[in-house]
Structure formats: C-alpha cells, structure tokens
Amino acid sequence: MRIFGRVRHRPSASWRQATDRAFTLIGDGRYEDAGALLTRAADMEPWLSESWFNLALLHKFRHDWEQARAAGLRAVALLDRDAGAPDWWNVGIAATALQDWPLARRAWQAYGLRVPGDGGPAGEPLGMELGSAAVRLSPEGEAEVVWGRRLDPARMEVLSIPLPSSGRRWGEVVLHDGVPHGERVTAAGPSYPVFDEIELWAPSPVPTWVVLLEAATEADRDALERLAADAGFAAEDWSSSVRLLCRTCSESRMPSDEGDGEHLDPHDHSEPGHPGPLGHRTAGSGLLWVPERECGIAAPAGLVRGLLDGWVADSPDTREWRDLEEVC
C-alpha cells in the first residue's frame, strides 16, 4: 500500500528497539529520555502512524496537550483504517483538554461515536448520553474511586463526595483516560467502567466538610442526604460508603457494595471500628448500626450549618451533629 507516494513497510529493528526502550522509560517515569527516543523513532519512520501515535501518547502522559494534539493529527493523517482507531481517541482527549471543540467533535465522530448537534459545530459535544461511570482520582497517588456522570468520552462530573486526601471536590469535572481500569458491578446487575483521572478540567467552588453525626437509625442518616440533595448539594455517609481496597482489587471487577446479610466482601480491607462496610460489624454478627457516623457534606459555608440544624430540628430526639470542619 502506498501512502503519499511511499510504500508502507514494516518498521525497522532500530525503530522497534528505540520504541521498546522508550516505553520502558515511560514506565519508570523518565519522560524526557523517552521523548528523545520516540522523536528519533519518528525520524526513522515518519510514514508510520505508530511513530506519531506513540509520541501523542507520551505527550498525553506529560499533559502537554498542544504537542499531543499535533502528534495525534499526524498519526490520524497516516491511518489506513476507518472508524475505531485509538489514534482518534487520543486526539479527542487532547482536543477536550484544550477546549478545541470542533476537533473534539470530529475525533469522536471519526472514532465511530454519535455526537448530537445540540452544541453546534463549534460547541461542546453535549448530549452524548454516556451515562454513569466511576473515575479513579489521583491514580498514581492515594487513589480513590468515586462515581460520576460522563459528559463526553473524556470528561466526567464527580457526583460522589471525595475524601479530602484526593484533593478533589463534589461537582468538579475531571479529564479521564479512555481505557477502563476495573469495573464496578451493582446489585441490580449492570457493570460500570472505572476510568483513570488524567487531570482536573473544571474546579468546583463548593467546599467539602466533614461532620460527626448521631443518627439513631439509617432513616435519620438518609434524611440528611435527601435534605442536602433537595438544596442542590450533597451529603454522604463516609462510614458506610468508603471501602479500603488494594490496587489489585480496585482495578478488577468489583461489586459496588458489600452485599447482604452475612456475605462479607472478601476484597474489603477495612476493619471493624474503622470506616468501610466491615467497620460496623462485630465478630460473629451481622450488620450492626452504629449511631455515630462520619459524614461528608458538599455545601457552601453559608448553608452547611443551616442544613444540619434543619436536619436536627426535624427529629431532635434521634439526631445530633458536632465537630464540623472544612477539609477541602
């Protein structure tokens, strides 16, 4: 097959050696050294789309979006296949990071996705209806998997209240990678992919608070979560929603909760007396409701105390709060 007058051929041994060595260096975080090798490989075989795909991938790892877009466009110009090439997905991520919406729309369409025209050719690719998914915040650090709503193939709005260690807030939009690392399976049966965060795309102005509740029953706890949601914000019982997982478990196919009755989740590494599904069990017993709950709240400073006071006022005999602290 001829491309721009050149005969397409298999890459040379030198190209393969330089590329293999570059990806070893990428795995070690040595991006500068890897970049020199991948640039050399592209000079050796400039007619290979793989040469530019690899450079685009490196620039994505470095969050150098201008270079990622440029290399990605060179890669797709040399493609000898139709829709579905991962080269287009990387172009879409780079374009989204740069808010280059015409290119982002073109990339998703070239990949084979339907992009509604609601936003116009120059607007964001809205209305793709990709549904819910999970995103792993800070994947290279103290990673945390939270739930979110996919805005398009590369962006997710965070709907859980992240722990303060993640440095993320409820309502933020994060740029995420295209290849899932793990799944979460709900009790109803559907599974949801877990994507890795690349970087923060749009910050949230809503702070995160932690508060200790005295909630006599689950219904009391649920009432606070509904009250916050009705106000347009969020509350989350971290005492039951947080599970401590090792990396292997987190990146596997996992149930989204612990299940029912005596069936403990074997992947849950939390302990009795600590946050997580196992934290409110006692040896040899089933579920044990503990009235003291550690709760995360996402709400403005001028509203959070009013929410808590209103929650207590609705049932003062069964509810109380203390130790409110802004944590993120």
Side-chain angles (χ1 to χ4, degrees):
M1 177 178 181
R2 292 183 178 273
I3 301 177
F4 299 134
R6 299 289 185 96
V7 177
R8 183 178 175 85
H9 58 275
R10 294 173 62 85
S12 66
S14 297
W15 183 94
R16 291 195 299 270
Q17 289 170 358
T19 300
D20 290 346
R21 175 59 180 160
F23 277 95
T24 298
L25 293 172
I26 289 173
D28 294 336
R30 296 171 59 185
Y31 293 145
E32 293 293 334
D33 294 336
L37 285 172
L38 290 179
T39 299
R40 186 190 309 168
D43 289 340
M44 293 178 195
E45 305 283 0
W47 306 106
L48 281 179
S49 63
E50 291 90 340
S51 294
W52 303 105
F53 173 84
N54 292 337
L55 269 172
L57 201 62
L58 171 69
H59 294 313
K60 181 183 74 171
F61 294 151
R62 298 175 64 185
H63 303 181
D64 186 341
W65 300 116
E66 294 282 358
Q67 292 293 331
R69 177 174 59 181
L73 286 172
R74 295 196 66 167
V76 298
L78 295 168
L79 287 175
D80 58 358
R81 59 184 288 192
D82 294 327
D87 309 67
W88 278 114
W89 196 283
N90 280 338
V91 170
I93 292 175
T96 301
L98 294 168
Q99 300 186 44
D100 182 349
W101 301 125
L103 180 58
R105 296 174 70 87
R106 176 184 165 207
W108 305 134
Q109 289 168 338
Y111 187 79
L113 300 175
R114 180 180 174 274
V115 182
D118 298 347
E124 296 182 41
L126 303 176
M128 296 185 72
E129 297 182 357
L130 299 176
S132 299
V135 61
R136 182 174 292 104
L137 305 175
S138 305
E140 300 304 322
E142 197 168 333
E144 178 183 358
V145 175
V146 298
W147 289 98
R149 177 175 66 94
R150 299 186 71 188
L151 304 179
D152 59 37
R155 291 181 300 159
M156 195 180 308
E157 180 186 11
V158 175
L159 299 182
S160 300
I161 302 179
L163 296 173
S165 57
S166 72
R168 294 285 175 261
R169 289 175 166 183
W170 170 86
E172 290 188 325
V173 177
V174 297
L175 190 73
H176 65 78
D177 219 335
V179 179
H181 279 165
E183 290 180 286
R184 295 297 180 268
V185 184
T186 63
S191 63
Y192 297 89
V194 180
F195 297 100
D196 284 346
E197 175 195 26
I198 299 176
E199 67 181 17
L200 178 64
W201 191 86
S204 170
V206 180
T208 303
W209 307 80
V210 62
V211 65
L212 290 180
L213 305 179
E214 287 290 335
T217 67
E218 290 184 68
D220 289 305
R221 182 273 315 276
D222 295 345
L224 178 60
E225 295 182 349
R226 286 195 303 272
L227 196 63
D230 290 344
F233 299 100
E236 183 176 327
D237 180 8
W238 284 341
S239 294
S240 59
S241 67
V242 176
R243 284 190 298 174
L244 304 179
L245 303 177
C246 67
R247 179 175 291 273
T248 299
C249 294
S250 179
E251 295 180 355
S252 67
R253 183 179 172 88
M254 292 288 299
S256 63
D257 53 34
E258 62 176 313
D260 300 320
E262 294 297 319
H263 300 288
L264 296 178
D265 179 357
H267 303 280
D268 183 3
H269 302 299
S270 56
E271 299 176 356
H274 298 279
L278 296 185
H280 301 292
R281 292 179 180 268
T282 56
S285 71
L287 287 171
L288 174 67
W289 179 257
V290 174
E292 184 173 280
R293 320 296 295 177
E294 185 177 65
C295 182
I297 299 179
L303 180 66
V304 63
R305 286 174 176 80
L307 278 175
L308 290 164
D309 288 340
W311 172 71
V312 171
D314 287 339
S315 182
D317 293 336
T318 61
R319 303 172 187 175
E320 187 179 345
W321 68 270
R322 70 179 189 276
D323 298 341
L324 179 69
E325 179 185 0
E326 183 177 346
V327 291
C328 185

